[in-house]
């Protein structure tokens, strides 16, 4: 913010009047219309009486455009820049996973603001880009970590299934090793390997063996 | 511009960022807009007065119990009416 002292007729007007005048100029209101409005104000009449001066004229308005109005525009630009940075800071703080309306996020936004305000325009754009990329990288890393975690869980389940299968097979072997028919089949030298498998399968699993495919 | 106006001029364009009294004092002193340096206590007094007027909100960070201040909608409206002057 800049505090300036203006000695012109318009510069001596109250702040609120100058502010409204600046807004009218910015909005493109014509000179004659502005002068009619400005000279009709009570505050303007009072100031002009105090300094024993005539009405504000076109030249006064032209001078004001290049001094007070230009300064005002500059101030407005600074306000807009700070607001843009505040929006950016808030977005960055929220994108880190915080609640945008939360106090923590607002404090983080203030800390980010401090950094962005110290940087020049070009650096701010680069910094914002870098932060967005960093965030994208974080997201990718999180996805990768999640995928790894899923894989680890799947592997663990597979390992558990394999262990269960091995235990079940061992139990089955112990059970059927005590079955005379099964032992007779398994040790019958007249039968070939496939035949033994087929008969043992029918003995052990009954109807469930029907249609079983040995994968050959 | 008095201290209360400067605080609003500092906090308003930076919304929703929230600042401690110390941070505000530091930034206002660095702005060169004050006739004399202010302390965090001076700022706290002015903030309490603005709080009574509904211009600022006091927020407490649950993590470390730190107190931070944020401009309210009312404070922002006043800032716009006063010409959006900004403490850079």
């Amino acid at each position: 913010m800049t505090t300036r002292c203006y000695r012109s007729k318009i510069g001596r007007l109250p702040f609120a009047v100058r502010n409204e005048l600046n807004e009218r100029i910015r909005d493109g209101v014509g000179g004659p219309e502005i002068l009619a409005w400005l000279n009709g104000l009570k505050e303007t009449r009072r100031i002009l009486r105090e300094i024993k001066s005539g009405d504000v004229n076109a030249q006064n308005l032209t001078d004001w455009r290049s001094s007070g109005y230009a300064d005002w525009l500059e101030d407005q630009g600074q306000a807009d820049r700070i607001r843009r940075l505040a929006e950016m800071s808030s977005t960055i703080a929220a994108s880190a996973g915080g609640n945008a309306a939360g106090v923590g996020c607002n404090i983080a936004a203030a800390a980010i603001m401090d950094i962005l305000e110290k940087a020049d325009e070009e650096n701010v754009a680069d910094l914002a880009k870098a932060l967005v990329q960093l965030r994208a990288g974080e997201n990718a890393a999180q996805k990768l970590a999640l995928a790894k975690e899923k894989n680890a869980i799947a592997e663990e389940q597979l390992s558990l299934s394999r262990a269960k299968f091995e235990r079940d097979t061992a139990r089955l072997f112990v059970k059927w090793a005590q079955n005379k028919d099964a032992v007779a089949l398994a040790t019958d030298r007249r039968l070939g390997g496939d035949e033994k498998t087929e008969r043992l399968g029918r003995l052990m699993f009954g109807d469930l063996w029907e249609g079983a495919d040995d994968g050959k | 511009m008095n201290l209360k106006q400067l605080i609003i001029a500092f906090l308003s364009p930076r919304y929703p960022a929230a600042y401690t009294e110390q941070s505000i004092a530091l930034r206002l002193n660095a702005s060169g807009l004050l006739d004399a340096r202010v302390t965090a206590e001076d700022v706290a007094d002015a903030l309490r007065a603005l709080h009574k007027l509904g211009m600022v909100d006091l927020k407490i960070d649950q993590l470390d119990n730190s107190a931070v201040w944020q401009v309210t909608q009312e404070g922002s409206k006043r800032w716009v009416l006063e010409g959006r002057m900004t403490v850079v």
Side-chain angles (χ1 to χ4, degrees), chain A residues 7-9 12 46-54:
Chain A
R7 294 183 176 277
S8 63
K9 287 182 198 174
R12 291 165 194 253
R46 181 177 58 78
I47 295 290
L48 292 177
R49 265 199 312 275
E50 279 176 15
I51 60 173
K52 294 176 181 149
S53 175

Side-chain angles (χ1 to χ4, degrees), chain A residues 44-64:
Chain A
T44 309
R45 303 310 320 164
R46 181 177 58 78
I47 295 290
L48 292 177
R49 265 199 312 275
E50 279 176 15
I51 60 173
K52 294 176 181 149
S53 175
D55 283 0
V56 178
N57 58 35
Q59 186 55 51
N60 300 143
L61 194 57
T62 301
D63 292 343
W64 179 253

